[in-house]
């Protein structure tokens, strides 16, 4: 079944898929290869949120050939760092990023365990 997707350019974050809409940072257009890789990644996501999406984000192998462009984009685009916020507004709706939430949870757990080990 073919799905109709909308692509919207926004001035913050990197890229996110919410339902049938993909939000991409406007400045990513300056890096066409990276832009395509990111778009392909977002296209692989389901319109909802399931384990497949989680696995996709944790592996994230589609971007491996574009690390140089990625970091160049990140370091020249301060507004892209907003992607690291687990809560972001898209079309005036607050969206909760489960992957990031899990990631921060795991990071804090690791720091906690490390703290216990070094006690
Ligand atoms: Zn993703």
């Amino acid at each position: 079944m073919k799905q109709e997707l909308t692509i919207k350019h926004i001035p913050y974050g990197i890229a996110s898929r919410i339902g049938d809409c993909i939000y991409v940072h406007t400045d990513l257009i300056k890096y066409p290869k990276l832009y395509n890789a990111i778009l392909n990644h977002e296209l692989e996501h389901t319109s909802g949120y399931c384990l497949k999406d989680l696995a996709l984000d944790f592996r994230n192998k589609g971007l491996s050939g574009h690390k140089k462009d990625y970091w160049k984009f990140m370091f020249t685009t301060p507004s892209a760092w907003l992607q690291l916020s687990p809560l972001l507004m898209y079309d005036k709706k607050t969206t909760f990023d489960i992957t990031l939430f899990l990631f921060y949870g795991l990071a804090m757990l690791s720091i906690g365990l490390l703290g216990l080990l070094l006690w």
Side-chain angles (χ1 to χ4, degrees):
M1 197 178 84
K2 200 177 158 279
Q3 236 182 332
E4 289 296 329
L5 282 164
T6 318
I7 295 167
K8 285 187 184 175
H9 294 111
I10 55 169
Y12 54 82
I14 305 166
S16 286
R17 173 158 174 186
I18 292 141
D20 291 333
C21 190
I22 295 175
Y23 297 88
V24 191
H25 196 295
T26 318
D27 287 357
L28 263 176
I29 300 166
K30 293 181 206 161
Y31 307 86
K33 283 181 194 150
L34 180 67
Y35 182 89
N36 279 329
I38 286 178
L39 216 56
N40 280 330
H41 168 88
E42 297 303 331
L43 283 170
E44 278 188 68
H45 273 298
T46 63
S47 54
Y49 210 94
C50 59
L51 271 177
K52 186 189 168 245
D53 296 286
L54 209 61
L56 197 68
D57 281 339
F58 270 99
R59 278 182 290 130
N60 215 347
K61 58 180 179 194
L63 295 182
S64 53
H66 307 278
K67 287 219 167 80
K68 213 177 131 194
D69 274 352
Y70 178 80
W71 290 114
K72 203 171 146 198
F73 167 72
M74 288 306 278
F75 282 106
T76 53
T77 320
S79 56
W81 293 89
L82 266 174
Q83 182 81 38
L84 296 175
S85 160
L87 284 173
L88 265 183
M89 294 267 283
Y90 295 103
D91 280 337
K92 299 189 177 86
K93 270 183 286 188
T94 307
T95 306
F96 185 68
D97 191 320
I98 301 163
T99 311
L100 271 176
F101 191 73
L102 277 174
F103 178 77
Y104 288 136
L106 281 173
M108 288 212 268
L109 195 71
S110 311
I111 292 168
L113 286 174
L114 195 70
L116 274 177
L117 282 173
L118 297 173
W119 187 260

